[in-house]
Amino acid sequence: MSGRFSRLVMRLLKIGVVSMLMLALIAEMSSHMADEKPPYYSWVSWVQFATSLFAIGVYVWYRPGRKHWIAVAAVASLVATGIDIVYDQGPRGVGSAELMALGLLLLFAVRHWDAAPGRWVAFALGAAILLIGARLFVYEGSAVGGTVLIGLGISTVVGFGAYLRSMDKLRRETQEEVRRAERLELAREMHDFVAHHVTGMVVLAQAGQVTATDPRKAFADIEEAGLAALASMRRMVRMLRDDDAGGGVNPLGDLSQIEDLVDRFTREGTDASCFISPELAGAVAPEIAATAHRVVREALTNVRKHARGATRVRVVVAAAGGHGMEVSVRDDGRAARVKAGRESLALSGSGLGLVGLRERVEAVGGQLRAQERPEGGWETAAWLPREAATVEV
C-alpha cells in the first residue's frame, strides 16, 4: 500500500510541476507591456514556444538512460536563443518555462553524470540556461541581477544533483558489498554441500561391495549422487563473482537447527514458537535446508532490530504443494513502531540483509517476500522447492 501511495504522490507531484510550467508558458505568450505587442505576434516567439514544449516533454518522459534527449533539448534551446539574438523582433522573448524545465533536466544530467552521451550534456545545459537570460532580461538594469539569480539557481541544482549522485553511488556500493559477502559465505558452504553428496556416494559404493545388489543399480545410484553433487556445485558457483572465497568452513544449517535458532531467540526475552512439518524430515535437499535456515536467521535478526514492540514471533516451516515448502516468520509488532524501520527495507530495496537473502533464495529457485501484515506486525516468508532447481551438467 505504501509503495503504491509513494508512486501516486510522485505522479501527482510531476503533474503539478508540468501544469505549473504550462501555465507559465501560456502566460508568457500573452503577457506584454502597455506599449508592446504580445509575444504571440512574433514567429520567433513561436519557435521559443515550441522549444519550451519540447523541454517540458523531455522532463515528462525522461527515464534513466534517455540522457540523449536532454542533449537534444539543450541544443534546441541554444538554437532558439541564437534565433532570438539574430532575428530580434521584440523587446522580450519567451523562456521562463523553458528555463525551469531545463533546470529540472540539469538535475538529471548531473545525477546521471557518466551516462551516455557524456558529461558535456550538463555543461551544454548550463550554457543554455544562462543564455536564456538574453531573451528575458532585456529591460534596463535587469541583466546583471537576472544573471546572478540564474547562476545561483544553477549552483543549487548542480549541488542537489551531485548529492543524489553520491547517494546512488553509496547505495550501489553497499549492495555490492552485501552481495560479495553473501558469495563468500556461499563459497565456504560449498565444502559442506560437496561433503554431503560425496559421503552419500561413498556409502553407496560400500553398500554395493557387501550386498548382492545388482551392480548396474548400484552404479546408477552412484551416478545420480554424483550428478547431484555437480549440480549443487554449479548452482553455487553461478552465484560467485570473486576468486577469493576466503578461508574457513561454516557449519551447514539444516531444518533441525531452526529450532535451536528459535530457542535462543526465546531465551533473549521474546515469546517465540516454531513448527516444522514432520513430512519435510529427510525430504529436503541440503542446500534448500541451509537456505531455509538462513531465511529464519535473517528474519529473526530483523525482528530484534526493528520490532522491539513485538511480544510474539511465530516460525513455521511447512510443506507447500507436492514439491515445495514455505518458511515464514511473523511477529505482532505494532505497525507504527515497525513501519519506518522495516517497510523501507522491503519496499525501497535498501534492506541490506534482504538483498543477500533474496539472492540466496532465488539462486535455488525460490521466491522471497517481506511485507507488513494487514492485522499488524511483519512477515518474512519464502517459498522454496524441496529439491534445488535442475542445472545441466
Side-chain angles (χ1 to χ4, degrees):
M1 178 64 69
S2 296
R4 291 194 295 268
F5 179 75
S6 299
R7 289 191 292 270
L8 177 62
V9 169
M10 294 302 298
R11 189 169 299 172
L12 292 175
L13 179 61
K14 176 171 282 191
I15 292 174
V17 171
V18 173
S19 300
M20 181 190 69
L21 293 175
M22 292 300 300
L23 289 174
L25 181 57
I26 294 172
E28 274 191 299
M29 287 293 290
S30 58
S31 62
H32 61 94
M33 301 293 288
D35 56 344
E36 297 174 356
K37 289 184 177 181
Y40 59 77
Y41 278 94
S42 170
W43 67 269
V44 174
S45 296
W46 284 106
V47 172
Q48 296 165 1
F49 179 86
T51 306
S52 300
L53 281 180
F54 180 74
I56 295 172
V58 173
Y59 164 71
V60 172
W61 284 288
Y62 176 77
R63 300 293 183 275
R66 298 181 182 178
K67 196 174 166 185
H68 294 84
W69 289 107
I70 297 181
V72 175
V75 173
S77 178
L78 290 171
V79 171
T81 301
I83 292 175
D84 182 82
I85 294 173
V86 174
Y87 300 98
D88 186 9
Q89 297 186 358
R92 180 181 59 83
V94 174
S96 297
E98 180 183 337
L99 176 69
M100 291 184 285
L102 292 181
L104 293 170
L105 295 179
L106 180 61
L107 178 67
F108 297 144
V110 174
R111 184 176 185 178
H112 306 138
W113 180 254
D114 296 317
R119 301 176 178 179
W120 64 267
V121 174
F123 294 101
L125 268 176
I129 293 172
L130 280 174
L131 290 177
I132 287 178
R135 307 184 209 165
L136 303 178
F137 308 123
V138 296
Y139 299 106
E140 184 177 356
S142 64
V144 175
T147 303
V148 170
L149 288 176
I150 291 179
L152 290 175
I154 290 176
S155 300
T156 302
V157 170
V158 169
F160 187 54
Y163 168 76
L164 292 177
R165 180 172 180 269
S166 66
M167 295 301 295
D168 291 340
K169 182 179 180 182
L170 177 62
R171 182 172 179 270
R172 288 193 300 269
E173 290 177 350
T174 305
Q175 288 187 341
E176 184 58 34
E177 182 180 349
V178 172
R179 291 190 176 97
R180 188 179 298 111
E182 182 69 23
R183 291 163 190 149
L184 293 179
E185 185 174 349
L186 285 169
R188 296 185 184 106
E189 288 183 355
M190 189 181 296
H191 171 275
D192 298 291
F193 293 140
V194 173
H196 170 84
H197 290 296
V198 172
T199 299
M201 294 168 61
V202 171
V203 170
L204 289 172
Q206 291 173 340
Q209 298 177 43
V210 298
T211 62
T213 306
D214 184 356
R216 290 176 297 181
K217 177 64 167 58
F219 284 130
D221 292 340
I222 294 174
E223 178 187 21
E224 182 178 354
L227 291 174
L230 287 174
S232 177
M233 284 189 293
R234 293 195 178 192
R235 268 189 299 270
M236 305 195 79
V237 170
R238 189 174 54 191
M239 290 287 297
L240 303 177
R241 298 293 186 271
D242 298 325
D243 294 331
D244 180 16
V249 176
N250 291 337
L252 179 63
D254 57 27
L255 297 185
S256 63
Q257 293 179 12
I258 291 178
E259 295 182 351
D260 297 333
L261 283 177
V262 177
D263 289 340
R264 288 198 299 270
F265 193 82
T266 301
R267 289 196 295 269
E268 293 176 2
T270 303
D271 180 15
S273 60
C274 178
F275 171 79
I276 300 178
S277 179
E279 65 183 282
L280 297 177
V284 179
E287 54 264 50
I288 301 298
T291 302
H293 181 274
R294 175 62 183 272
V295 170
V296 174
R297 187 180 71 187
E298 185 65 35
L300 291 178
T301 299
N302 284 340
V303 170
R304 185 180 298 111
K305 288 182 178 179
H306 305 294
R308 292 188 175 92
T311 59
R312 292 188 303 276
V313 178
R314 177 68 168 165
V315 178
V316 176
V317 182
H323 304 285
M325 57 183 287
E326 181 167 294
V327 182
S328 63
V329 180
R330 301 181 178 93
D331 65 68
D332 63 346
R334 293 184 296 275
R337 295 286 299 276
V338 303
K339 184 175 181 179
R342 293 187 293 170
E343 186 176 277
S344 59
L345 300 183
L347 297 178
S348 69
S350 61
L352 303 183
L354 291 179
V355 172
L357 185 61
R358 179 169 283 106
E359 189 166 345
R360 167 73 70 92
V361 169
E362 292 176 354
V364 296
Q367 297 177 344
L368 178 72
R369 70 178 186 273
Q371 60 190 14
E372 194 174 357
R373 300 170 62 197
E375 62 272 24
W378 192 263
E379 176 185 35
T380 301
W383 181 90
L384 298 168
R386 300 189 196 182
E387 294 293 333
T390 303
V391 177
E392 295 183 359
V393 297

